[in-house]
């Protein structure tokens, strides 16, 4: 566990308590700080943006403003599956920038006290846990509390634009002469 | 009214204590009344002026003290009663007898100027009397004005060699200032009663409408100046008129010095001889730039006179141009400037800046207390300590002006502490003035780079003198304009630091002034953009509603009628909103005229620059963007286009080159043309160079049309100029032009004829917010391609499509073989038509870069509002933004240039 995680731990307990919107991805339950959530909208037609990693579903028109939508399932390396009637988009506010995240189902708003939140367990250095603020407990359930601002790291955001297309052309290479 | 009453009562009490007619006491009495001029109720203005006149006559000795004294106190008593009555009544308006004649403020400015020279030059007094009599002769003069004028006349008479009255010069100044205030007062009372508790402040005098109008005048001035060099006598008069007008404005806004400078500039302008004309215009243009900056600052809310100090220098240079007559006059008004020199140690300056405001504040507070109780020793000490501390910490940094000023102020307070002077009336004002100037000096320290120096405004030394006088108990003399205090507060902070480049280029001046004389409202661009966004949303929402099946197929005729009405209104609203972003090309064109002139001066190529269609409107954002390309084009025209005069003579052309700039609308686009009558583009030279630089190969070179060859100059790194001059010739300019224009979704075309000249045509969309787009479909996605980028579209025949070994898919089009790119492959999409002959090919790109892009279908053509996709997608090649379609869905807007580049680089490997 690196220092980053330690810093994270220090924050837990003081800032993490509060209300969380919980949602599910596959069999996992996640929580989002309610203050980050702007609205929840039903799934609408998403315009695909080419040459983006698969987890970027595209863009939607949110009352005239165009916002990007990412698919958390794909972002977290889970298997893609078809959208259902319960699939919806949570619009979150990332420091003034709106972004939609596609989740399988929105469950409820949970009030988590200081004692309901535990540090992120040590998964070993191979697993990146920066975007998990802590683990929430509610009865028997364990909820992963996301720091949504860290889900898309700066590096990722800037590299999005420079993504090279995955497929290759079979044409031979020769510099253009024109 | 409370304050007015209180001060009037004080004056009455003061008057009562006067035992004999000591002139100094009466003078003090006058100046205390003077400051009331701008705040008393309008209807007693005349009475107040009358009282001042009587007092002045007593000072002058034209009326004996014993006779006039009872009358004076009676008048004052009456006045107080009148004012008291205002406590209950609505204050009256100034009887609209006659507004002050419009040029009065200018007359007064002239008078003020003359008054300064009065003591050294007896003719000045004579000149003043002439003016005064002229004013007095105006029919229907407001009684207050008449009274003020007559007392000035009497003072002048006394001041004349015949009268030789020692008090007269002082009285001339006093009565002049009375007159000035009355005029100001009358001029500002356009029906509404300005006699609020606070009186007229400077803010009220600077009014945005006038400012905007003045800024426009500045533009006119520039234009007239540029025309002047062609020996256009009208232009000369126009320019002088503009200068006078602007001077008048400055006067009105209480920037008296600025007004004076402008007036003198107008005088000089009139007397410029042909030989000095060019340099003279140079200086005047410099003056104009400075003024424009200054007015721009005023418009954005600054109140400092950032103009006078530097303008005075320019004026001096200008007056030096003239053989003899003027110079002494010009020089006289500009005493050698003092400098504020900053030390090198930044830390020490920081310390000083941290503590100085504290001292200033303590002085300010103490002075305020002293105003109520002038003799309170505690407050006197407090103020003294404040000045002293300031002196100490400024002395540490060797900031001489600050030390001198605080020292002088300290002496004044010392005198007050010892009871030699009473810190009231002019002395008090003086102390405050010193404080204000110290404040400004501290600001100036903050604004001046470490180790640099900055000139101080000339009034600084005068203030010092007055403080010293004050400290010895002499009458400190009037502050030239105590109430409005435009002058004393002049701009220490705003003056330019010495050593900074004196660059007053136009680009700094971002304000655009609409050419209309309508009254204007200042609205932040942000609000404007929000409004335009909202209207855009409305349009989208409307079109979504209209496409709704129930609506589109309704049989309800009333609903249909109302809907069509709604459609009309929305369309109009959209046009209005878009129109709000539009500004005329005028200022851009004027800047180009100026640039051409400067270039002509520098390169020694005489030229005539003209422009037309400057009223053509264009999106505000575009105006800023188009500036650089135009600069390049104008430079290019002067540097490479036009021949030297000798060469032109040899060719039988007129010696002066000609450059024409034209703007007009054409089918939803704004077209800007720049034409020169120079040598034209060297087609052969370009081609050779292009081949040499491997921009084209020899085979291609043979096939290129003349126009295509000319377009090669837009390639970075290609420039025809054999010489590299300071301004252009590095071969990047033209590339910048093309890239910028294309970034704005526009196009540049060249048309050149050897020996005859070159015509550049820039075509731009009217606005950046909306584009005319071709909606195309690929698989299940819709994309918008700017229509301007598409040359043609066609359905390829099977035999047109080839796969060329080593080059990928190509398509032959009218004998030319161009690369074929498939949008679906570029974007990695599935489900698109595989056979090109079933799909559609769009021909895009420039001559050398032409290519075809394959899409499934064209859905239609429509105008779309461009929206940003946000930072995340900002650097996505080939995609310019998104548009919300009628269905509410987002369609991506393609950036053809980026797309083609991406496609090429992919092919190239």
């Amino acid at each position: 566990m690196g220092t980053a995680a330690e810093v994270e731990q220090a924050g837990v307990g003081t800032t993490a308590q509060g209300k969380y919107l919980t949602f599910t991805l596959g069999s996992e339950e996640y929580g989002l700080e309610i203050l980050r959530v702007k609205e929840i909208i039903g799934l609408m037609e998403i315009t695909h943006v080419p040459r983006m990693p698969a987890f970027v579903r595209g863009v939607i028109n949110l009352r005239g403003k165009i916002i990007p939508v990412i698919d958390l399932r794909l972002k977290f390396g889970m298997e893609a599956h078809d959208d259902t009637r319960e699939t919806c988009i949570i619009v979150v506010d990332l420091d003034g920038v709106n972004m939609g995240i596609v989740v399988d189902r929105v469950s409820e708003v949970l009030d988590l006290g200081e004692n309901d939140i535990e540090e992120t367990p040590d998964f070993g250095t191979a697993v990146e846990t920066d975007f998990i603020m802590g683990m929430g407990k509610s009865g028997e359930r364990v909820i992963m509390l996301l720091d949504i601002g860290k889900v898309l790291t700066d590096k990722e955001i800037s590299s999005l634009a420079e993504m090279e297309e995955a497929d290759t052309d079979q044409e031979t290479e020769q510099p253009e002469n024109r | 009214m409370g304050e007015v009453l209180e001060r009037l009562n004080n004056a009455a009490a003061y008057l009562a204590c006067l035992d004999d007619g000591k002139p100094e006491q009466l003078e003090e009495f006058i100046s205390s009344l003077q400051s009331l001029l701008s705040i008393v109720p309008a209807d007693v203005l005349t009475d107040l002026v009358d009282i001042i006149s009587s007092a002045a006559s007593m000072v002058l000795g034209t009326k004996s003290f014993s006779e006039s004294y009872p009358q004076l106190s009676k008048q004052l008593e009456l006045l107080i009663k009148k004012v008291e009555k205002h406590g209950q009544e609505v204050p009256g308006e100034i009887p609209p007898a006659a507004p002050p004649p419009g040029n009065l403020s200018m007359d007064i400015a002239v008078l003020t100027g003359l008054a300064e020279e009065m003591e050294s030059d007896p003719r000045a007094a004579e000149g003043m009397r002439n003016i005064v009599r002229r004013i007095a002769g105006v029919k229907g003069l407001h009684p207050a004005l008449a009274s003020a004028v007559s007392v000035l006349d009497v003072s002048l008479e006394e001041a004349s060699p015949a009268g030789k009255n020692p008090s007269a010069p002082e009285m001339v100044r006093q009565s002049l200032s009375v007159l000035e205030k009355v005029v100001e007062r009358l001029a500002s009372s356009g029906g509404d009663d300005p006699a609020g508790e606070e009186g007229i402040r400077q803010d009220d005098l600077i009014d945005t409408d006038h400012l905007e109008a003045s800024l426009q005048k500045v533009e006119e001035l520039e234009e007239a100046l540029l025309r002047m060099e062609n020996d256009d006598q009208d232009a000369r008069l126009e320019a002088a008129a503009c200068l006078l007008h602007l001077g008048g404005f400055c006067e009105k806004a209480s920037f008296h010095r600025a007004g004076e400078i402008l007036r003198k500039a107008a005088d000089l302008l009139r007397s410029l001889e042909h030989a000095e004309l060019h340099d003279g215009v140079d200086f005047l243009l410099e003056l104009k730039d400075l003024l424009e900056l200054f007015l721009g600052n005023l418009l954005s809310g600054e109140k400092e006179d950032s103009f006078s100090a530097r303008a005075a220098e320019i004026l001096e240079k200008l007056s030096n141009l003239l053989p003899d007559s003027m110079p002494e006059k010009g020089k006289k008004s500009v005493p050698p400037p003092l400098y504020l020199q900053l030390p090198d140690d930044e830390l020490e300056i920081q310390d000083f800046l941290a503590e100085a405001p504290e001292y200033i504040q303590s002085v300010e507070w103490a002075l305020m207390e002293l105003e109520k109780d002038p003799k309170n020793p505690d407050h006197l000490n407090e103020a003294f300590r404040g000045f002293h501390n300031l002196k100490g910490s400024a002395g540490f940094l060797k900031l001489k002006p600050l030390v001198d000023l605080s020292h002088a102020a300290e002496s004044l307070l010392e005198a007050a502490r010892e009871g030699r002077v009473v810190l009231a009336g002019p002395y008090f004002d003086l102390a405050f003035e010193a404080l204000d100037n110290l404040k400004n000096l501290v600001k100036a320290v903050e604004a001046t780079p470490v180790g640099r120096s900055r000139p101080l405004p000339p009034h600084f030394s005068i203030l010092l003198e007055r403080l010293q006088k004050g400290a010895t108990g002499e009458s400190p003399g009037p502050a030239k304009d105590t109430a409005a205090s435009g002058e004393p507060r002049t701009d220490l902070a705003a003056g330019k630091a010495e050593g900074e480049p004196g660059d007053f280029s136009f680009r700094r001046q971002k304000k655009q002034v609409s050419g209309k004389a309508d009254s204007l409202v200042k609205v932040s661009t942000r609000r404007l953009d929000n409004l335009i966004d909202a209207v855009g949303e409305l349009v989208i929402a409307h079109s979504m509603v209209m496409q709704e099946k129930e609506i589109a197929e309704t049989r309800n005729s009333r609903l249909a009628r109302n809907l069509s009405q709604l459609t009309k209104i929305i369309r109009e609203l959209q046009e209005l909103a878009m129109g709000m972003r539009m500004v005329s090309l005028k200022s851009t064109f004027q800047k180009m005229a100026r640039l051409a002139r400067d270039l002509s001066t520098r390169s020694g190529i005489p030229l005539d620059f003209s422009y037309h269609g400057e009223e053509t409107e264009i999106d505000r954002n575009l105006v800023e963007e188009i500036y650089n390309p135009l600069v390049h084009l104008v430079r290019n025209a002067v540097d490479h286009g036009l021949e030297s005069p000798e060469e032109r003579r040899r060719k039988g052309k007129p010696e002066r080159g000609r450059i024409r700039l034209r703007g007009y609308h054409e089918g939803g686009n704004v077209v800007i043309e720049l034409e020169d009558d120079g040598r034209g583009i060297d087609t052969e030279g370009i081609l050779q160079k292009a081949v040499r630089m491997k921009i084209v190969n020899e085979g291609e070179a043979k096939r290129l049309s003349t126009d295509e060859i000319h377009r090669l100059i837009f390639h970075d790194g290609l420039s025809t100029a054999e010489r590299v001059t300071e301004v252009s010739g590095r071969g990047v300019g033209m590339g910048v032009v093309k890239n910028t224009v294309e970034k704005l979704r526009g196009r540049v075309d060249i048309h050149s004829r050897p020996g005859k000249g070159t015509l550049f045509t820039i075509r731009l969309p009217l606005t950046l917010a909306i584009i005319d787009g071709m909606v195309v479909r690929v698989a299940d996605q819709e994309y918008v391609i700017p229509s301007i980028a598409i040359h043609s579209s066609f359905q390829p025949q099977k035999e047109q499509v080839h796969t060329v070994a080593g080059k990928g898919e190509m398509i032959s089009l009218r004998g030319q073989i161009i690369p074929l790119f498939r949008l679906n492959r570029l974007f990695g999409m599935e489900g698109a038509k595989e056979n090109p002959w079933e799909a559609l090919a769009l021909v895009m790109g420039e001559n050398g870069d032409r290519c075809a892009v394959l899409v499934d279908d064209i859905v239609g053509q429509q105008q779309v509002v461009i929206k940003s996709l946000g930072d995340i997608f900002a650097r996505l090649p080939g995609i310019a933004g998104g548009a919300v379609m009628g269905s509410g869905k987002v369609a991506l807007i393609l950036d053809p240039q980026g797309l083609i580049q991406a496609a090429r680089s992919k092919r190239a490997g």
Side-chain angles (χ1 to χ4, degrees):
Chain A
M1 196 100 180
T3 45
E6 278 160 28
V7 173
E8 205 54 49
Q9 286 163 17
V12 173
T14 51
T15 57
Q17 64 186 33
K19 285 190 160 56
Y20 286 81
L21 174 74
T22 66
F23 58 87
T24 56
L25 293 175
S27 53
E28 320 283 356
E29 194 165 13
Y30 293 87
L32 263 180
E33 283 172 288
I34 202 84
L35 291 176
R36 291 277 201 183
V37 178
K38 288 204 73 172
E39 61 187 299
I40 301 164
I41 51 179
L43 197 64
M44 55 166 83
E45 216 178 326
I46 299 173
T47 301
H48 174 73
V49 178
R51 283 185 281 195
M52 280 284 147
F55 69 84
V56 177
R57 285 280 287 261
V59 289
I60 55 166
N61 166 27
L62 183 69
R63 288 185 304 280
K65 299 260 180 287
I66 295 178
I67 63 167
V69 177
I70 63 166
D71 192 323
L72 266 197
R73 261 181 170 275
L74 301 179
K75 173 65 187 128
F76 289 163
M78 299 178 186
E79 229 167 84
H81 82 61
D82 287 343
D83 297 329
T84 68
R85 271 192 323 131
E86 286 186 309
T87 309
C88 61
I89 301 173
I90 304 175
V91 180
V92 294
D93 178 1
L94 298 178
D95 303 319
V97 179
N98 290 341
M99 182 184 286
I101 55 177
V102 178
V103 301
D104 287 357
R105 191 167 60 87
V106 174
S107 332
E108 60 180 327
V109 176
L110 268 187
D111 205 346
L112 294 179
E114 209 174 317
N115 296 332
D116 301 326
I117 298 174
E118 278 182 15
E119 298 162 7
T120 316
D122 193 345
F123 295 112
T125 44
V127 184
E128 204 186 332
T129 54
D130 258 9
F131 57 84
I132 299 179
M133 285 160 61
M135 308 300 259
K137 290 176 297 181
S138 171
E140 292 298 299
R141 289 154 32 194
V142 175
I143 300 147
M144 275 175 272
L145 306 179
L146 293 181
D147 185 346
I148 195 68
K150 291 201 176 116
V151 169
L152 260 191
T153 59
D154 287 349
K155 216 162 71 193
E156 238 167 351
I157 290 175
S158 57
S159 66
L160 271 188
E162 283 141 24
M163 287 293 294
E164 275 302 308
E165 203 180 342
D167 68 333
T168 50
D169 265 27
Q170 64 272 57
E171 282 142 7
T172 45
E173 302 166 2
Q174 184 157 14
E176 293 289 332
N177 254 339
R178 293 179 159 266
Chain B
M1 277 318 102
E3 192 197 346
V4 176
L5 256 186
E6 193 183 325
R7 285 168 71 175
L8 278 175
N9 280 322
N10 282 346
Y14 188 79
L15 190 65
C17 304
L18 290 184
D19 27 14
D20 53 358
K22 262 194 196 152
E24 304 88 66
Q25 286 176 329
L26 273 168
E27 273 171 28
E28 201 157 310
F29 174 69
I30 291 174
S31 59
S32 72
L33 288 184
Q34 238 194 64
S35 58
L36 280 169
L37 275 174
S38 41
I39 54 174
V40 289
D43 58 343
V44 298
L45 192 61
T46 314
D47 303 280
L48 186 60
V49 176
D50 281 342
I51 294 174
I52 294 176
S53 305
S54 313
S57 314
M58 283 156 69
V59 175
L60 291 169
T62 48
K63 286 186 192 165
S64 79
F65 182 78
S66 52
E67 266 173 45
S68 315
Y69 179 70
Q71 198 197 338
L72 190 61
S73 24
K74 211 167 165 189
Q75 273 178 316
L76 190 58
E77 228 168 87
L78 272 172
L79 177 64
I80 292 174
K81 274 195 186 130
K82 267 194 185 175
V83 175
E84 268 171 354
K85 247 168 64 188
H86 275 295
Q88 298 106 41
E89 281 174 28
V90 183
E93 306 273 300
I94 295 184
N103 51 1
L104 209 52
S105 56
M106 210 144 322
D107 281 333
I108 289 179
V110 176
L111 286 173
T112 318
L114 285 170
E116 274 169 26
E117 285 159 35
M118 204 172 67
E119 274 167 81
S120 54
D121 188 350
R123 282 172 309 173
E126 200 47 47
M128 287 176 76
R129 288 198 76 182
N130 288 337
I131 298 175
V132 167
R133 291 207 178 113
R134 199 187 71 228
I135 300 175
V138 174
K139 277 194 190 121
L141 213 56
H142 190 278
L145 261 181
S147 176
V149 169
S150 79
V151 68
L152 180 58
D153 192 24
V154 174
S155 316
L156 280 170
E157 192 174 342
E158 287 296 309
S160 69
K164 278 240 180 293
N165 188 322
S167 315
E170 179 57 29
M171 275 307 110
V172 170
R173 273 191 281 275
Q174 293 266 16
S175 47
L176 194 54
S177 132
V178 168
L179 181 62
E180 201 175 316
K181 279 186 189 140
V182 172
V183 170
E184 248 173 42
R185 187 64 199 279
L186 292 180
S188 63
S189 64
D192 51 346
D193 179 23
E197 285 282 46
E198 295 171 354
I200 304 167
R201 282 165 304 132
Q202 193 175 358
D203 315 28
D204 306 331
L205 296 172
I206 307 176
D207 128 5
T208 318
D209 283 1
H210 287 153
L211 252 177
E212 303 266 7
S214 298
L215 271 169
Q216 210 178 320
K217 269 275 181 271
V218 172
E219 288 186 6
E220 279 171 35
L221 171 65
E222 176 166 42
E223 203 204 325
L225 285 175
L226 291 176
R227 286 209 329 259
M228 235 173 84
E229 277 180 288
N230 306 339
D231 261 342
D232 185 339
Q233 288 305 318
D234 287 348
R236 184 187 286 243
L237 290 179
E238 265 172 50
C242 288
L243 279 170
L244 285 176
H245 175 101
L246 290 164
F249 168 77
C250 290
E251 291 286 348
K252 224 171 137 198
S254 291
F255 292 105
H256 299 284
R257 218 170 107 67
E260 194 183 320
I261 287 170
L262 288 172
R263 225 175 29 256
K264 282 193 179 148
D267 282 350
L268 291 173
L269 171 69
R270 289 204 189 103
S271 45
L272 273 180
E273 294 291 332
H274 187 79
E276 308 113 27
L277 200 57
H278 185 82
D279 290 337
V281 170
D282 263 349
F283 289 133
L284 285 166
L285 281 173
E286 208 178 321
L287 196 69
K288 172 250 143 200
D289 289 349
L290 202 56
L291 187 63
E292 192 173 8
L293 199 71
F294 167 53
L295 292 177
N297 284 344
L298 284 183
L299 198 60
S300 50
E302 251 179 63
K303 299 262 173 342
E304 308 284 341
D305 180 358
S306 55
F307 171 73
S308 298
R310 270 192 73 101
E313 291 167 30
I314 298 173
L315 189 70
E316 192 177 345
K317 282 191 231 155
L318 184 62
S319 61
N320 284 344
L321 277 181
L322 297 182
D324 15 58
S325 55
M326 307 301 276
E328 338 122 42
K329 199 173 169 190
K331 268 181 198 151
K332 207 172 204 173
S333 66
V334 187
L338 292 167
Y339 283 90
L340 173 68
Q341 169 73 42
L342 253 67
D344 283 320
D345 192 331
E346 191 164 359
L347 276 179
E348 284 180 1
I349 294 173
Q350 292 304 336
D351 286 349
F352 170 73
L353 287 175
E355 54 191 32
E358 225 176 281
Y359 301 142
I360 287 176
Q361 215 177 351
S362 72
V363 176
E364 195 154 36
W365 179 80
L367 284 181
M368 248 126 60
E369 292 295 318
L370 282 170
E371 186 166 28
K372 292 179 224 151
D373 181 7
K375 289 186 179 152
N376 184 316
D378 289 343
H379 297 320
L380 275 173
N381 278 331
E382 172 87 12
F384 178 86
R385 258 201 312 276
F387 279 131
H388 185 79
N389 286 340
L390 200 57
K391 180 173 97 173
S393 76
F396 192 59
L397 289 183
K398 301 200 177 62
L399 297 168
K400 194 162 180 309
L402 271 154
V403 175
D404 290 351
L405 188 54
S406 30
H407 179 77
E410 202 183 289
S411 322
L412 177 69
L413 280 159
E414 175 97 25
R417 254 194 338 193
E418 289 166 7
R420 279 183 283 135
V421 295
V422 177
L423 211 56
Y427 293 107
F428 181 77
D429 288 345
L430 195 56
F432 241 120
E433 204 180 313
L435 180 68
D436 279 348
N437 276 285
L438 280 169
K439 255 193 237 174
N440 282 335
L441 276 170
V442 172
K443 263 194 244 160
V445 170
E446 201 171 355
T448 310
V450 171
R452 290 284 174 75
S453 67
R454 165 195 294 274
L456 296 176
H459 76 77
F460 181 78
S461 46
I462 304 169
L463 175 64
L464 274 184
E465 259 175 52
R466 283 173 46 221
L467 277 166
Q468 278 149 12
K469 262 198 209 165
T472 52
E474 273 178 62
S475 162
K480 246 195 280 159
D481 28 295
T482 18
S485 72
E487 180 83 353
R489 293 183 191 213
T490 3
D491 71 304
L492 290 154
K496 273 190 93 73
E498 195 196 36
E500 269 177 43
D503 170 25
F504 285 93
S505 81
F506 296 89
R507 257 167 296 177
R508 284 205 197 161
Q509 179 69 42
K510 288 264 155 97
K511 291 234 160 49
Q512 294 297 336
V513 181
S514 115
K516 293 187 191 79
D518 299 348
S519 64
L520 299 166
V521 178
K522 245 168 88 180
V523 180
S524 80
T525 52
R526 204 196 164 92
R527 278 186 169 192
L528 203 60
D529 288 345
N530 283 343
L531 176 72
I532 291 164
D533 271 357
V535 171
E537 286 323 300
L538 180 66
V539 172
I540 291 166
H542 172 253
S543 77
M544 279 164 72
V545 170
M546 294 305 281
Q547 279 173 16
E548 205 61 47
K549 211 170 165 222
E550 286 92 332
I551 298 278
E553 293 170 6
T554 182
R555 293 219 190 119
N556 180 341
S557 65
R558 215 173 60 162
L559 177 62
R561 204 171 51 238
N562 287 344
L563 280 173
S564 93
Q565 180 72 6
L566 183 66
T567 307
K568 271 186 213 149
I569 295 172
I570 288 180
R571 201 171 296 150
E572 193 178 330
L573 185 62
Q574 189 184 16
E575 262 166 38
L576 283 174
M578 289 304 156
M580 281 163 59
R581 303 172 67 114
M582 304 301 249
V583 292
S584 85
L585 282 169
K586 189 172 177 188
S587 66
T588 311
F589 278 17
Q590 274 173 3
K591 285 170 198 165
M592 292 308 134
R594 168 73 181 278
L595 175 73
R597 179 190 176 276
D598 290 352
L599 288 172
S600 150
T601 312
R602 216 177 312 167
S603 62
I605 295 176
L607 63 91
D608 293 323
F609 189 94
S610 62
Y611 56 77
H612 311 275
E614 68 273 21
E615 70 285 344
T616 310
E617 289 195 326
I618 187 170
D619 192 290
R620 174 171 44 81
N621 299 333
L622 280 171
V623 159
E624 280 160 29
E625 298 287 337
I626 200 63
Y627 179 84
N628 267 328
L630 276 179
V631 167
H632 280 298
L633 288 180
V634 171
R635 284 181 170 171
N636 191 62
V638 177
D639 262 33
H640 310 321
L642 296 180
E643 310 92 332
S644 66
E646 302 83 55
E647 205 179 327
R648 290 182 69 91
R649 217 179 306 135
R650 269 206 309 278
K651 286 182 181 167
K653 291 186 188 178
E655 236 171 78
R656 298 175 72 83
R658 207 191 63 207
I659 297 182
R660 272 177 39 191
L661 193 57
R662 209 152 77 90
Y664 57 94
H665 285 265
E666 191 186 77
N669 286 322
V670 175
V671 185
I672 300 173
E673 289 180 352
L674 185 87
E675 185 180 9
D676 67 61
D677 68 342
R679 53 173 77 92
I681 293 175
D682 175 7
T683 314
E684 209 35 49
I686 297 238
L687 197 58
Q688 280 169 15
K689 204 159 174 185
V691 172
R692 206 162 57 232
M693 295 176 77
K694 299 212 165 55
I695 294 168
V696 291
N697 63 33
E698 296 206 15
E700 275 175 321
K702 289 198 186 88
R703 284 205 312 272
L704 288 175
S705 72
T706 318
D707 272 2
E708 280 169 337
I709 295 170
H710 290 163
R711 293 199 69 79
L712 288 173
I713 64 166
F714 289 129
H715 257 281
D716 287 331
L718 193 76
S719 174
T720 47
E722 292 304 318
R723 68 212 153 96
V724 171
T725 69
E726 178 197 347
V727 282
S728 65
R730 276 170 240 283
V732 286
M734 287 297 134
V736 168
V737 173
K738 179 168 173 266
N739 292 342
T740 314
V741 171
E742 279 177 2
K743 204 181 80 207
L744 302 172
R745 293 189 297 279
R747 251 173 62 190
V748 204
D749 289 308
I750 315 175
H751 187 76
S752 181
R753 282 187 302 164
K756 291 277 162 59
T758 310
L759 169 70
F760 286 92
T761 310
I762 299 178
R763 239 168 264 274
L764 291 168
L766 274 179
T767 162
L768 284 179
I770 291 187
I771 57 161
D772 190 39
M774 193 76 82
V775 185
V776 300
R777 190 177 55 78
V778 181
D780 59 343
Q781 297 277 338
E782 283 182 359
Y783 294 97
V784 179
I785 301 175
S787 300
I788 200 167
I790 302 177
H791 294 289
S792 61
S793 64
F794 66 101
Q795 186 161 24
Q797 302 296 312
K798 201 169 181 178
E799 53 276 17
Q800 278 179 292
V801 184
H802 322 277
T803 303
V804 179
K807 283 207 173 187
E809 277 184 304
M810 304 293 277
I811 198 162
S812 61
L813 175 66
R814 288 193 288 274
Q816 225 183 335
I817 303 218
I818 56 176
L820 177 70
F821 302 115
R822 296 174 183 233
L823 202 59
N824 63 326
R825 291 201 188 151
L826 289 175
F827 283 173
M829 291 159 59
E830 316 227 320
K833 294 179 183 164
E834 270 309 309
N835 293 327
W837 43 93
E838 285 166 13
L840 270 180
L842 307 176
V843 182
M844 297 200 252
E846 292 306 332
N847 289 318
D849 270 344
R850 191 150 282 189
C851 64
V853 175
L854 204 63
V855 299
D856 283 4
D857 214 347
I858 289 182
V859 179
Q861 194 170 3
Q862 76 177 83
Q863 302 224 317
V864 295
V865 178
I866 300 185
K867 308 219 163 193
S868 145
L869 291 184
D871 290 344
I872 295 185
F873 303 121
R875 274 181 288 168
L876 209 55
I879 291 178
V884 178
M885 306 304 282
S887 62
K889 208 187 146 181
V890 180
L892 298 180
I893 300 171
L894 303 185
D895 158 26
Q897 224 193 337
L899 192 71
I900 294 167
Q901 261 168 25
R904 283 184 179 283
S905 61
K906 219 179 106 191
R907 245 185 217 191

